[in-house]
Amino acid sequence: MRSEPESAAAAFTRVGQDAVTYARRVAGTALARTEHHREENRELLKAYGRHRSAGGGEVTPSALRGAAQRFRTACGLPVPVEDPARSGPVVPPARPQTSDDEEDFSQLRILNRPT
């Protein structure tokens, strides 16, 4: 049994319906993923609150803190320094990034260069 070729209007309608179905599925997946992340964050906040209220010590392990400091130093980012007078780390101001090819591209210098 052979079916007749689909008309252009019917093909357009079918493709549109397929696109809408796909978009709804993707949106549903994204919403589910977002809700999952929110639930994880709620649980982490609760655990952090319990840790603080119990008078827990350092939240970040020292090995992880050291790895973070090495990474920030390697990337030229400011490294927080612990200040015993304050309750938390102090972040120094960011250093300006320097590069070897800093050139003056101002209009006056380009127009007045010798030829």
Side-chain angles (χ1 to χ4, degrees):
M1 182 159 130
R2 194 169 162 205
S3 64
E4 291 188 31
E6 190 174 34
S7 71
F12 182 76
T13 302
R14 184 183 48 77
V15 169
Q17 289 172 344
D18 290 347
V20 169
T21 301
Y22 176 76
R24 286 181 179 156
R25 189 175 342 121
V26 169
T29 303
L31 288 173
R33 186 179 301 145
T34 299
E35 186 55 37
H36 175 73
H37 288 302
R38 285 183 180 167
E39 185 60 35
E40 283 181 338
N41 287 342
R42 279 188 213 103
E43 293 300 320
L44 287 171
L45 282 171
K46 287 178 188 176
Y48 177 73
R50 286 191 301 265
H51 183 75
R52 278 187 83 188
S53 65
E58 191 174 336
V59 176
T60 306
S62 58
L64 187 57
R65 188 178 303 276
Q69 287 179 341
R70 287 190 300 276
F71 173 79
R72 292 173 78 74
T73 302
C75 292
L77 299 170
V79 178
V81 180
E82 291 291 330
D83 185 4
R86 293 187 177 188
S87 61
V90 177
V91 179
R95 295 177 292 184
Q97 298 255 341
T98 59
S99 69
D100 295 337
D101 58 348
E102 289 183 14
E103 295 184 23
D104 181 14
F105 288 107
S106 64
Q107 189 176 16
L108 184 60
R109 184 165 172 122
I110 293 172
L111 290 175
N112 293 331
R113 69 179 161 193
T115 53

